[in-house]
Amino acid sequence: MRSSSAWAWQELLALLCSVWLWVCAAQRSGPTPTAQSQGPKLKFRLAGYPRKHNEGRIEVFYNEEWGTICDDDFTLANAHVLCRHLGFVAATGWAHSAKYGKGIGRVWLDNVNCGGSEKSIADCKSRGWGNSDCSHEEDAGVICKDEHIPGYVDSNVIEQRVRLKGGAKAGEGRVEVLKNSEWGTVCDDRWNLLTASVVCRELGFGSAKEALTGARMGQGMGPIHMNEVQCTGSEKLLWSCPYKNITAEDCKHSEDAGVRCNIPYMGYETTIRLSGGRSRFEGRVEVALGTGSSGGPTWGLICGDGWGTLEAMVACRQLGLGFANHGLQETWYWDASNVTEMVLSGVRCAGHEMALSHCHHHRNSLNCKRTGTRFAAGVICSETASDLLLHAPLVQETAYIEDRPLHMLYCAAEENCLSSTARNANWPYGHRRLLRFSSQIHNNGRADFRPKAGRHSWVWHECHRHYHSMDIFTHYDLLTPNGTKVAEGHKASFCLEDTECQEDVAKRYECANFGEQGITVGCWDLYRHDIDCQWIDITDVQPGNYILQVCGGRTEAAAPSPCGHKMQEHDSHPGKASGVHGPAASSQD
């Protein structure tokens, strides 16, 4: 038994290797590409975040202008050619949907189709330079093998890019800076409007409206990179300002600095309103379309089909009401308005849009299965939100592979914690191969995380003898390097409680005796690797390279946590083990 376990641990230590941000999007087809082999000299660089020196958003300098490459029809062969441009011997993967953030300027290439051996990206087929129907939400990225071509001099210097996290509106959030490939926060000692204005201008906004102290935009994780930053206000970059390095006694994340920037007035809130709610933070969503006979806007309803938290998040942002608590598909209890016509359907948002008009929707016709006013979309907004982050190093420390006998998996099968092929197994004989790891979820936001449903609707599971407060709390997916899912698992909400808290925070949630479930701000919930369903069933996975993707569940006052954590596996051959390397990635957008 001990020998088998040791072999499994050795395999897992070779299995997982990095943590990346993941966002999913569909690819579009384009016209027949044509070869482009001539033109001005090209330059290439990696940009964006979170990234290392050998990965990032690929940018190309053409016709005296930096631009990006669209992810449509992108392949590993394309990445091989681009990585060689950057001085690396080959590519190990690629990323779509602006995983490293959206670029600016032109989208220079679209529908690129390389064989992999080309000397230049210009020798690959494409639509042609500057001919693209893509937005920067489709910017491609590459992950290059960390081995340089002999004689190559590395000029791919990582720029130290400020970002804001945890804010409900554009131009506000906790200030985070990149140093040595790791994002960290800024201590609020001597933090003022002059310094905050440098941050705002660096991000493309105006001057600062407020310099926030005391982690008012939530507490970050990881290092605190700067303390006592003293800008004069004229600096172009925050890193150009004098500052002190942090010692262990200087600061805690309860002192993380934030900003609210002055941003251009766009008038988005004039084309949306809520009706029927008990307060200004809730109600049925009504949108303005055109001008009526009286000269004022004509208002209409949104079809509730498919309406969810992401769409509600955009609506609340457009209204200036903060975060989304709930996205509601039925609003019969808010039937107090004389607006009865449904005018918008098929709304699908990514969650970052500034207005519902920026989301995908049916443009030329209404296609709604349930057209009565009771099925119009509604929202409940909140000024504060929870902010859940996975502690990725714990996955690194606890991951292992187990061959678990089928006779010990009846309860897990009853709760759909095994792959579908387990139904055809010769129960109770044989086993399933499980990739197991612990999961520790921190709440670093400004509101407690609570299950969406109250205790009265929790479901009792006799087999495991516990209540489920949520259907699924976290998804675990195993992907090929190009994003195809080959196995999946989930963290069922057996119990959500304050396992441990920071020194100055008291526990509020405990599962014992049918207690209230949740995660207090400043506390974390721990699901140990030896709990049922805390795994991915990899019995049917062939040996090869894979990516473990962790996607958060829905929070009470925020959108579903994005798939903010990816660990790359190497050789999932049975009997070996794997390990995880890399810093924790934030999932708090």
Side-chain angles (χ1 to χ4, degrees), residues 260-283:
R260 282 198 178 100
C261 304
N262 288 305
I263 62 174
Y265 176 70
M266 305 299 292
Y268 291 135
E269 76 283 359
T270 63
T271 59
I272 187 173
R273 69 185 184 188
L274 300 181
S275 67
R278 297 162 296 181
S279 73
R280 68 186 186 94
F281 287 92
E282 66 178 29

Side-chain angles (χ1 to χ4, degrees), residues 7-41:
W7 277 107
W9 176 247
Q10 290 174 11
E11 180 182 14
L12 201 54
L13 286 176
L15 194 65
L16 306 174
C17 82
S18 187
V19 181
W20 293 319
L21 186 66
W22 181 267
V23 184
C24 301
Q27 295 185 346
R28 303 192 304 271
S29 61
T32 303
T34 57
Q36 301 288 324
S37 58
Q38 296 182 355
K41 184 177 180 181

Side-chain angles (χ1 to χ4, degrees), residues 359-371:
C359 301
H360 292 291
H361 59 274
H362 298 151
R363 295 188 179 275
N364 299 320
S365 62
L366 187 72
N367 185 3
C368 190
K369 295 179 181 179
R370 305 178 298 176
T371 56

Side-chain angles (χ1 to χ4, degrees), residues 318-378:
Q318 185 176 353
L319 288 158
L321 297 179
F323 299 93
N325 191 328
H326 295 302
L328 304 165
Q329 297 185 2
E330 292 190 29
T331 54
W332 53 268
Y333 37 82
W334 287 334
D335 200 8
S337 172
N338 58 0
V339 176
T340 59
E341 182 183 3
M342 222 165 257
V343 297
L344 196 62
S345 64
V347 180
R348 294 291 183 276
C349 302
H352 56 74
E353 296 89 347
M354 295 299 298
L356 290 174
S357 60
H358 300 163
C359 301
H360 292 291
H361 59 274
H362 298 151
R363 295 188 179 275
N364 299 320
S365 62
L366 187 72
N367 185 3
C368 190
K369 295 179 181 179
R370 305 178 298 176
T371 56
T373 57
R374 66 171 295 172
F375 300 114

Side-chain angles (χ1 to χ4, degrees), residues 134-150:
C134 296
S135 70
H136 283 296
E137 293 179 355
E138 301 166 87
D139 285 344
V142 295
I143 303 99
C144 301
K145 184 176 181 180
D146 195 5
E147 180 182 343
H148 278 111
I149 298 171

